């Protein structure tokens, strides 16, 4: 079944791609002027994407509302729908912040997901308006809510595929080895004030030292956010900035200093060998 559903979603690219790209341009203008707000909505401060945390609330609230509607608990159902609408608005804000940095097939899925959620919100908003009207329209309010719930479930399915199948907002180092064995680097020199790409076994690293004689700092060269090449980035205020989406990581400890990344960067220790070469290993306290 999932293959058929996937094909249906892929077929929406003809309208979802241009719509997503247009929305992305507008959102960029908004978030470029309010970068701290974007970091907050991404979850940089939390160390975890905020969007999936918030989306649990409307799904739960609308599920409760459906049960209460079926059992005739009108007042409680209305409160559940109102809660769901408020949390859907919060979910939309966090989802928009994530969508700014989503491209290709993932952008198509994100646009389909967002479109379904907007449709669901519209249905529930209509249901809420009917709920505060005459009691005679209560059956219509329930029907709109049930329709909204069906669309909500479809949107949640697409959102799940976006995260779990396409890996949107997934830590790029989730399955890295945590071995602390020393490995020989394929470079022997690190010029001052220069980002140097190196490999320790299969691990791509970015090396840096501010001045000659300073210790060499080393991070994974693969950005935790979307896999961007940090060795192609820039040094800004003691951080390496990803050239793809502008995430910044502190060179000393790999901590996220600016989003859209929410996960820290793996840190490596570097030392000289007796023959004048270099070797590195993942920091023992880096998890």
């Amino acid at each position: 079944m999932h293959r058929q559903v996937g094909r249906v979603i892929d077929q929406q690219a003809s309208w979802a791609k241009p719509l997503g790209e247009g929305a992305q341009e507008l959102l960029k203008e908004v978030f470029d002027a309010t970068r701290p707000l974007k970091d907050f909505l991404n979850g940089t401060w939390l160390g975890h994407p905020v969007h999936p945390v918030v989306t649990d609330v409307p799904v739960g609230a609308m599920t409760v509302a459906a049960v209460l509607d079926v059992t005739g608990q009108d007042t409680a159902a209305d409160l559940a729908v109102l809660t769901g609408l408020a949390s859907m608005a919060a979910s939309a804000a966090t989802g928009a912040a994530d969508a700014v940095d989503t491209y290709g097939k993932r952008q198509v899925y994100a646009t389909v997901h967002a479109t379904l959620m907007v449709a669901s919100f519209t249905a529930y908003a209509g249901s809420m308006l009917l709920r505060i009207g005459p009691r005679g329209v209560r059956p219509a309010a329930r029907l709109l809510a049930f329709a909204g719930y069906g669309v909500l479930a479809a949107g949640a399915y697409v959102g799940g595929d976006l995260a779990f199948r396409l890996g949107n907002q997934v830590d790029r180092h989730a399955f890295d080895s945590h071995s602390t064995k020393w490995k020989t680097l394929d470079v022997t020199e690190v010029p001052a004030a220069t980002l140097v790409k190196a490999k320790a076994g299969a691990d791509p690293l970015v090396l840096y030292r501010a001045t000659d004689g300073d210790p060499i700092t080393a991070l994974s060269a693969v950005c935790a956010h979307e896999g961007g090449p940090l060795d192609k980035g820039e040094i800004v205020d003691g951080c390496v900035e990803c050239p793809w989406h502008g995430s910044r990581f502190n060179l000393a400890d790999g901590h996220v200093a600016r989003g859209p990344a929410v996960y820290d960067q793996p840190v490596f220790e570097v030392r000289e060998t007796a023959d004048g070469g270099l070797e590195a290993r993942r920091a023992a306290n880096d998890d």
Side-chain angles (χ1 to χ4, degrees), residues 85-107:
L85 284 169
S87 54
M88 285 179 81
S91 297
T94 56
D98 290 347
V100 171
D101 307 298
T102 303
Y103 296 89
K105 186 172 184 175
R106 282 177 288 186
Q107 185 185 63

Side-chain angles (χ1 to χ4, degrees), residues 37-64:
L37 174 63
K38 184 176 184 300
D39 283 356
F40 177 80
L41 294 173
N42 284 142
T44 300
W45 58 279
L46 184 62
H48 186 288
V50 175
H51 185 63
V53 176
V54 180
T55 55
D56 284 350
V57 181
V59 172
M62 297 315 191
T63 300
V64 170

Side-chain angles (χ1 to χ4, degrees), residues 164-239:
F164 300 119
R165 189 164 72 85
L166 300 182
N168 196 56
Q169 288 294 87
V170 171
D171 184 0
R172 299 302 165 194
H173 302 287
F175 302 105
D176 286 359
S177 168
H178 285 241
S179 170
T180 55
K181 179 181 178 181
W182 287 100
K183 300 175 184 178
T184 302
L185 290 175
D186 61 349
V187 299
T188 57
E189 295 183 4
V190 180
T194 303
L195 290 171
V196 175
K197 184 177 182 179
K199 291 198 74 173
D203 297 317
L205 308 183
V206 56
L207 312 179
Y208 182 80
R209 58 174 155 200
T211 62
D212 291 328
D214 282 352
I216 299 171
T217 58
L219 303 178
S220 170
V222 179
C223 178
H225 173 238
E226 287 288 349
L230 295 186
D231 54 287
K232 304 291 186 183
E234 298 179 354
I235 300 299
V236 182
D237 298 329
C239 299

Side-chain angles (χ1 to χ4, degrees), residues 95-154:
D98 290 347
V100 171
D101 307 298
T102 303
Y103 296 89
K105 186 172 184 175
R106 282 177 288 186
Q107 185 185 63
V108 171
Y109 272 62
T111 304
V112 173
H113 167 69
T115 301
L116 289 169
M117 289 307 185
V118 169
S120 177
F121 182 90
T122 302
Y124 274 113
S127 174
M128 194 69 231
L129 289 174
L130 291 176
R131 288 167 189 271
I132 61 178
R135 289 193 59 82
V137 297
R138 174 67 59 169
R142 289 172 177 163
L143 284 175
L144 263 180
F146 293 145
Y149 190 77
V151 179
L152 178 71

Side-chain angles (χ1 to χ4, degrees), residues 44 173 195 206-210 215-224 230 234-242 246-259 261-269 283 286:
T44 300
H173 302 287
L195 290 171
V206 56
L207 312 179
Y208 182 80
R209 58 174 155 200
I216 299 171
T217 58
L219 303 178
S220 170
V222 179
C223 178
L230 295 186
E234 298 179 354
I235 300 299
V236 182
D237 298 329
C239 299
V240 58
E241 181 179 287
C242 180
S247 296
R248 293 179 184 174
F249 304 93
N250 192 296
L251 285 164
D253 54 22
H255 290 175
V256 178
R258 190 178 82 171
V262 299
Y263 301 109
D264 293 337
Q265 201 68 7
V267 181
F268 288 75
E269 300 171 350
D286 180 53

